[in-house]
Amino acid sequence: MDGRAVTAHLMPELRRHLAELRDHHHIVPSLTAILVGRDSASRQYVKNKRRLAQELGCTSNIVEIAEADADTESMLALIDKLNRDPATTGILIQMPLPERLDRYRLFDAIASDKDVDAVGADAVIGFYRGQWGRFVPCTPRGVLTLLDFYKVPVDGARAAIIGRSDIAGKPTALILGGRLRNATVTWCHRHTRDVDGICRNSDIIVSCVGAEVGRPFFITAEMVKPGACVIDVGVRRIGPGKFAGDVDFEGVRQVAGWLTPNPGGTGPTTVLGLMQNLIDAARYQLGLERASYST
């Protein structure tokens, strides 16, 4: 499941939607990402997001805040300023954040039509009710795009979602198990017993563990049902400029029916999902409906 190929397939449609915004509405979408600290994986993701935004002709801004200087009240003031700035189309808080920050106050402070990572209360309520809100979180949106592009059967499938972060595992579990996708989801985390057995009985595995687990490869071939779909969302730094995911790719590829590489799988489609959400943000602010894409 090649995330780069999926992104290349959808790029003409992104460019068409952006041309419509530029030529008919005189709008160039602008993303502002807030980055706290120097987490290596976060910095790599922000770099990738900026690169694709610039390639598409969007404006991309990064507000970097030293971890020692970050506090909830000052970040709330920054978000309020960006909410009121008509030149800012979308706002994203790059995760993870220091534990001392009240992330839910920060998430909920983002204007609902600029919440391009879908972390605020309005978006979460939508997932809980089995509805699409204005936005789908970027990582789950990328996962859905991969599933659709490669025509993986989801309706009625057994899916194991491993991890419960606010931007990956949690919304992916809610979306796949909701009325719009109809999978039967087992939501796993570090306290789940017999994760190996749950995975072996699953048609779809989405692993969003990342640096939470010390070993580099959490999902091995012995944990995968023959023919299953395995999607690797996790990322951790393993050396200078080198990153690894959750899945033992070489082992699991001998068993799985579908498998994402890492890098090159969900990373590109997550950034693609962000650009789709940024386009939608601009459309919503003009009173238009969500953009449509073919897979």
Side-chain angles (χ1 to χ4, degrees):
M1 303 176 81
D2 187 341
R4 294 188 178 102
V6 174
T7 299
H9 173 78
L10 289 174
M11 282 290 278
E13 293 187 72
L14 265 72
R15 294 186 190 282
R16 176 172 58 82
H17 289 304
L18 286 166
E20 178 187 352
L21 290 170
R22 183 187 64 245
D23 298 340
H24 296 286
H25 303 284
H26 309 292
I27 296 292
V28 176
S30 176
L31 171 71
T32 295
I34 302 171
L35 177 62
V36 178
R38 302 190 61 82
D39 179 81
S40 56
S42 294
R43 298 185 74 83
Q44 184 63 39
Y45 268 123
V46 168
K47 180 180 177 181
N48 293 342
K49 291 166 184 174
R50 166 169 266 188
R51 181 168 58 241
L52 184 57
Q54 292 175 338
E55 182 181 343
L56 288 167
C58 300
T59 302
S60 177
N61 305 302
I62 301 174
V63 179
E64 295 195 48
I65 304 173
E67 184 170 343
D69 297 335
D71 65 82
T72 299
E73 296 304 323
S74 63
M75 289 186 65
L76 286 170
L78 170 62
I79 292 168
D80 180 63
K81 179 181 177 182
L82 294 172
N83 284 339
R84 291 183 286 103
D85 179 9
T88 300
T89 309
I91 303 168
L92 179 145
I93 301 174
Q94 183 64 43
M95 297 294 287
L97 288 172
E99 288 294 328
R100 69 176 185 280
L101 299 180
D102 188 338
R103 60 183 177 178
Y104 294 116
R105 284 185 68 197
L106 298 176
F107 292 165
D108 292 348
I110 300 172
S112 60
D113 61 354
K114 296 188 178 188
D115 181 17
V116 291
D117 215 12
V119 291
D122 288 346
V124 174
I125 289 170
F127 308 146
Y128 183 80
R129 292 177 176 173
Q131 303 168 336
W132 290 142
R134 283 178 165 165
F135 304 105
V136 180
C138 305
T139 297
R141 184 164 190 168
V143 169
L144 295 175
T145 298
L146 285 164
L147 291 169
D148 291 343
F149 185 85
Y150 286 98
K151 296 180 172 55
V152 178
V154 177
D155 195 298
R158 293 182 179 179
I161 313 301
I162 308 171
R164 51 184 175 183
S165 73
D166 292 308
I167 59 172
K170 189 182 297 183
T172 300
L174 289 170
I175 291 168
L176 287 184
R179 290 195 298 268
L180 296 172
R181 291 292 165 155
N182 297 316
T184 299
V185 171
T186 302
W187 188 6
C188 306
H189 45 77
R190 68 178 65 191
H191 299 286
T192 302
R193 298 174 182 173
D194 192 24
V195 172
D196 292 22
I198 292 169
C199 288
R200 278 193 295 271
N201 286 293
S202 297
D203 305 300
I204 299 170
I205 299 171
V206 183
S207 186
C208 315
V209 175
E212 291 182 17
V213 173
R215 67 181 190 269
F217 299 125
F218 181 72
I219 303 295
T220 62
E222 294 75 19
M223 298 170 65
V224 176
K225 176 183 177 180
C229 173
V230 181
I231 297 180
D232 187 354
V233 175
V235 62
R236 62 177 61 74
R237 189 182 184 95
I238 58 173
K242 294 183 179 181
F243 297 86
D246 291 348
V247 177
D248 177 7
F249 183 84
E250 292 303 324
V252 170
R253 73 188 303 182
Q254 307 301 320
V255 183
W258 297 268
L259 174 62
T260 60
N262 195 336
T266 59
T269 59
T270 294
V271 179
L272 173 72
L274 174 61
M275 293 301 105
Q276 292 172 319
N277 282 350
L278 185 64
I279 290 169
D280 286 341
R283 293 177 63 86
Y284 296 147
Q285 290 159 35
L286 289 166
L288 302 174
E289 294 182 354
R290 174 197 308 274
S292 62
Y293 299 88
S294 62
T295 53

